[in-house]
Amino acid sequence: MILRLLRLLIRLPVVLAIGFAGLGILLFILPLRAFSLQRWLAARRAAMRLWTGALCRTLGIDIVRSGQPPERPFFLVSNHVTYLDVLVLGHESPARFVGKAELRRWPLVGWLCHGAGVIFIDRSSRRDVLRVGDDIQRTFDEQEGLILFPEGTSTRGHDVAPFKPPVLAWPSLRVVPVHTATLSYRLPDDEPPVDMAVAWWGGMTFVPHFLRVLQLRRIEARVHFDPKPIVDDDRKRLAERLRSRVASHFEPLVELGGEVEDGE
């Protein structure tokens, strides 16, 4: 109990410092955009990798990767278990994310998302889904990568929820190859169940959940990048095929708890 409290007291100010430092870096490199778009984009990718790597180390997240991230420009989809997914994928494959519109209003987090180029979407608005298509096209024109969570929300990690076809309209209309990644997490034996401690789902609120995450000794994040993209001009069929591909590599969180050796 004392060690958990110490982790919280030590990690919380460090995480806040990293967050503000990340925002400062994004503001510092912003003037590059006026001189060279590609240099600014490269600097933003480097900043994202540095920022997410620092947060992963602070939170005790060990990333175990299998497969190689796709080369830019790419359209990548993944299952969604927790907000930590963004740190893992952002470190292994820096890119623009498509995120829910509510994130824009979160203190610090919203500012960082905006600076990192997150494309905000109101999934309840058909018009907004169409608008996002223009942002995705611009992302590809700039030779950047894009990461999307087509389940539409984070889950408990017991299985992979159905993928929502509307958010896949852009790659299906343009017959663009879509890459897949699969995420899962582990915790040591003496930690709480991983589907309750790491997964963020249902009515869980961010701050209490994140304070519990700060107390965990170690989190093992597994990410698998499939080497074969999927191409389909029918968005419903594309959603089903992508979900099937991700699910084929998915390991339910409830079966993973207790498999990490005690490293302390």
Side-chain angles (χ1 to χ4, degrees):
M1 183 65 181
I2 295 177
L3 286 177
R4 294 175 68 83
L5 180 59
L6 284 174
R7 290 189 198 105
L8 173 61
L9 294 175
I10 293 171
R11 287 173 171 173
L12 181 57
V14 175
V15 167
L16 290 174
I18 293 172
F20 282 108
L23 183 61
I25 292 172
L26 290 172
L27 291 173
F28 179 76
I29 65 174
L30 188 58
L32 276 176
R33 185 172 187 175
F35 299 97
S36 172
L37 176 62
Q38 289 305 313
R39 287 186 179 181
W40 173 68
L41 291 172
R44 190 173 67 179
R45 290 193 300 270
M48 177 180 287
R49 187 172 179 83
L50 179 66
W51 176 74
T52 54
L55 283 176
C56 284
R57 286 189 294 273
T58 301
L59 296 173
I61 300 175
D62 294 328
I63 301 176
V64 179
R65 189 186 78 193
S66 58
Q68 294 296 320
E71 296 184 0
R72 302 187 314 274
F74 62 80
F75 193 110
L76 175 72
V77 301
S78 171
N79 63 307
H80 195 16
V81 179
T82 170
Y83 45 82
L84 301 178
D85 299 343
V86 175
L87 301 183
V88 175
L89 292 174
H91 182 264
E92 295 300 311
S93 185
R96 297 186 71 181
F97 285 84
V98 176
K100 58 183 181 180
E102 304 93 276
L103 288 173
R104 199 196 315 254
R105 299 190 294 271
W106 289 19
L108 185 57
V109 174
W111 305 335
L112 284 166
C113 287
H114 181 75
V118 170
I119 299 173
F120 297 105
I121 179 173
D122 180 358
R123 297 178 188 271
S124 64
S125 170
R126 181 179 177 85
R127 180 177 297 179
D128 206 45
V129 172
L130 295 174
R131 174 195 61 79
V132 165
D134 294 334
D135 289 336
I136 294 175
Q137 182 63 59
R138 190 176 305 111
T139 299
F140 264 65
D141 291 342
E142 295 171 350
Q143 298 296 299
E144 287 291 279
L146 184 127
I147 299 176
L148 172 71
F149 300 112
E151 288 169 295
T153 187
S154 51
T155 70
R156 191 172 182 176
H158 288 189
D159 57 14
V160 179
F163 285 3
K164 299 185 181 301
V167 297
L168 297 168
W170 188 86
S172 63
L173 285 171
R174 290 159 181 78
V175 200
V176 170
V178 182
H179 299 263
T180 59
T182 305
L183 291 160
S184 59
Y185 295 86
R186 297 182 174 194
L187 289 178
D189 282 339
D190 57 349
E191 296 287 7
V194 66
D195 61 328
M196 299 300 294
V198 175
W200 188 45
W201 55 278
M204 292 180 176
T205 53
F206 175 73
V207 173
H209 185 274
F210 186 60
L211 292 178
R212 292 193 296 271
V213 168
L214 289 170
Q215 299 177 53
L216 299 173
R217 179 172 67 257
R218 178 188 172 203
I219 302 171
E220 184 177 287
R222 288 186 167 188
V223 56
H224 173 77
F225 292 98
D226 195 280
K228 297 181 180 180
I230 293 175
V231 181
D232 203 308
D233 61 2
D234 182 281
R235 66 182 186 181
K236 291 184 179 180
R237 191 166 58 233
L238 178 62
E240 293 171 356
R241 293 177 63 189
L242 290 170
R243 191 264 174 193
S244 178
R245 176 71 60 81
V246 171
S248 69
H249 298 287
F250 179 68
E251 299 170 273
L253 268 62
V254 288
E255 297 178 8
L256 293 176
E259 293 186 11
V260 177
E261 295 181 1
D262 191 341
E264 183 175 285

